[in-house]
Amino acid sequence: MRTCPSSIRRVALTRGGALGCALMFTLASHPVRASEPAVGSPQIRLVLQITVDGLRGDLLNRYGSRFGENGFRYLLSKGTVYTNAHHEHANTETIVGHATLATGAHPSGHGMIGNVWYDREAGELAYNIEDPESPLLPTRREALEGEQVDPAQKRSRTKGRSPRAMLAATVGDTLAAFTAGRARVFGVGGKDRSAVSMAGHVGKAFWFSTDTGDFVTSRYYYDTYPGWVVGWNARRQAEGHSGQAWALLNDQGTYLLGGQDDRPYEVDLKGYGRTFPHPFGDAGNPLFPTKVLVSPVGDRLTADFAKALVRAEGVGQDAVPDYLSISFSGLDAVNHFFGPSSLENEDVVLQLDGTLADLLGFVDETVGLDHTLLVLSADHGMAEMPEYMTELGFEVGRLSPDGIVETANAAAREAFGINGVVRFFYRPYLYLDEGKIAAARRERGEVEQAVARALAETEGVALAVPRSGPGPLEDTAALQRVRRNFHPSRSGDIYVAQEPYWFLFDKGPVAVMHGSPWRYDTHVPVVFVGPGVAARRVHRPVSTVDVAPTLAAILGMSPPSSAEGSPLSEVLWQD
Ligand SMILES: [Zn+2]
């Protein structure tokens, strides 16, 4: 990778060779002012939004000394780095965080309040980007057969995907409108929801299929696959790892967490094991693509697909800026099985560092990093495992969703004689049965309040917030995050949040979750790198809703439709 673009080297000569490259970079390019549209200027040809699923805000610090020169270290040393950036919504899940980064809105505005919510009219769980009108485009014969079950969501209704349920415009949507449709907008992700949310309504999305190991899209975007996608999938790169294993990048003794490999509370995903090396098994096994995704290989495939997209679509090749989002999903999957303080966590981050370095080198060759405005962030952080915290002396446990339902039902039965008042519970939202409340001639608000009071007294439950509102003296920071998560038809009647480090999720092969309103889940990196962006660290608190308005301001356009954040002044101005 070129460390300094050629135009900057020329300036460096006149300024004296002793200056660091970052400073030269700064001197060479005029700061991009909010009043100066970059459109039509040759400066920014590509907005590259990189989102690392589950990259808690402290992980880059923990592993900082272990990175190579051209990956995370390049971004951290050349960019404006926000050390105290947080999602300010309560349900810190993948679709919620991605949609917030893309739109600059809180979930109350973009409508993506959770990975799933209960559809009261249909009487079943809805997956955030599910859309029966937009079936997946099959990539091979066997994928044509009927509907399939998504084990992560326990859903089988449809595999169709589109952004139609997103209620706000993204940066990409806004850029397309601003440039009269000339900006190209793409989202690539290890997960469907990370690709679809970032591509917005206007862009094209592609994501890794845990059914086939191919990158897929839906009929919302295309009638048939572009030729380059057919070509990429024909190489069957995931299957090339059949019979192989995820092995450590370096000698185990060199890792900070070298002693944290085999812990009894890690999850063994059907033969994947708790210790290195983790075998992927045979490519014919239905879990093979999932195991590939729970490793550094899934991230490498994601980057490779994105590179193929840039080449084939000519992204970033003219004066009209294009938008490309790349979401890496390996870390989150690894966190869920092994926890964020595991050897697996350290290794997947170190291997992602290499993947990132390779990607940045490619972008420099094809677009030029001096023409690229890059922003790095994460959709959420991660909790530590309850058993790990308890070992350290912080005693916490696991809550049972069934127990939450029983407590709620008992409270309504005792107070109002209503049996089975809970219509549905999928954390964080509890949905009450309006019909039963009406039949008992009770007000919904009074039932909500009584049930919430009982839930709040449960060990391990920190908050139970009724739709009808808590008392006026309870306006805490966590409660404000619950409010920002509220959508009138999608949110449930009571928001249930566990106490810090308590686990509240369905049973299943998951050792640990994110999704709480606590700071380990809200804290994420926010790093901007690009022409005119100074190298500095900023410690004031900022919100992830500021990211999209900052990109919009640099591009000289209005913020996305529902953005609530503000442009980050340190990115826009030199001093
Ligand atoms: Zn996750």
Side-chain angles (χ1 to χ4, degrees), residues 375-445:
V375 59
L376 169 80
S377 190
D379 53 349
H380 53 74
M382 197 69 182
E384 297 290 347
M385 289 191 280
E387 294 80 4
Y388 173 65
M389 293 308 293
T390 300
E391 266 179 23
L392 294 174
F394 192 120
E395 291 178 7
V396 288
R398 290 176 183 263
L399 280 157
S400 136
D402 291 346
I404 297 284
V405 172
E406 281 167 27
T407 301
N409 279 335
R413 191 167 52 241
E414 283 163 26
F416 310 109
I418 303 172
N419 284 317
V421 77
V422 177
R423 189 164 172 203
F424 203 85
F425 177 56
Y426 194 99
R427 67 140 306 280
Y429 286 113
L430 190 87
Y431 297 79
L432 299 180
D433 192 321
E434 292 169 304
K436 288 184 180 174
I437 294 170
R441 297 182 185 280
R442 292 291 180 174
E443 293 295 325
R444 191 158 107 175

Side-chain angles (χ1 to χ4, degrees), residues 246 260-261 263 265-269 272-276 278 294 332-345 385 511-512:
W246 171 17
Q260 305 252 81
D261 192 12
R263 298 179 298 162
Y265 34 82
E266 294 181 0
V267 165
D268 173 5
L269 176 65
Y272 201 44
R274 298 200 311 254
T275 58
F276 282 96
H278 295 281
V294 189
D332 179 67
V334 165
N335 280 342
H336 282 301
F337 291 113
F338 307 106
S341 291
S342 62
L343 178 59
E344 284 84 355
N345 177 285
M385 289 191 280
V512 68

Side-chain angles (χ1 to χ4, degrees), residues 57-230:
D58 60 359
L59 293 180
L60 294 181
N61 299 332
R62 182 197 262 174
Y63 305 133
S65 64
R66 321 277 332 275
F67 295 141
E69 289 299 314
N70 301 325
F72 286 119
R73 190 190 298 274
Y74 175 84
L75 303 182
L76 295 172
S77 63
K78 299 285 187 268
T80 297
V81 179
Y82 290 90
T83 62
N84 197 13
H86 292 267
H87 286 290
E88 291 297 358
H89 51 254
N91 192 17
T92 43
E93 290 189 318
T94 294
I95 186 64
V96 191
H98 273 92
T100 298
L101 288 166
T103 63
H106 295 295
S108 52
H110 59 62
M112 296 285 108
I113 59 156
N115 280 343
V116 294
W117 56 82
Y118 185 66
D119 181 335
R120 288 183 176 90
E121 278 181 29
E124 61 183 4
L125 212 53
Y127 177 63
N128 52 84
I129 52 161
E130 136 182 1
D131 178 8
E133 313 271 288
S134 305
L136 298 200
L137 291 187
T139 53
R140 45 179 91 181
R141 179 175 286 278
E142 60 267 35
L144 278 167
E145 308 297 331
E147 295 171 345
Q148 294 155 318
V149 176
D150 181 348
Q153 304 301 337
K154 299 187 293 185
R155 299 270 304 124
S156 61
R157 195 173 71 182
T158 177
K159 296 220 101 183
R161 299 286 183 261
S162 85
R164 287 197 175 101
M166 275 179 69
L167 306 176
T170 63
V171 169
D173 291 336
T174 312
L175 181 61
F178 184 57
T179 59
R182 288 187 297 158
R184 320 283 312 284
V185 177
F186 297 96
V188 174
K191 294 177 181 171
D192 52 10
R193 53 194 179 276
S194 61
V196 169
S197 52
M198 303 306 279
H201 297 78
V202 168
K204 308 285 192 191
F206 299 96
W207 58 93
F208 181 81
S209 162
T210 50
D211 291 327
T212 60
D214 292 334
F215 271 80
V216 297
T217 189
S218 84
R219 212 168 292 283
Y220 178 85
Y221 304 100
Y222 294 95
D223 292 328
T224 56
Y225 279 102
W228 66 266
V229 180
V230 175

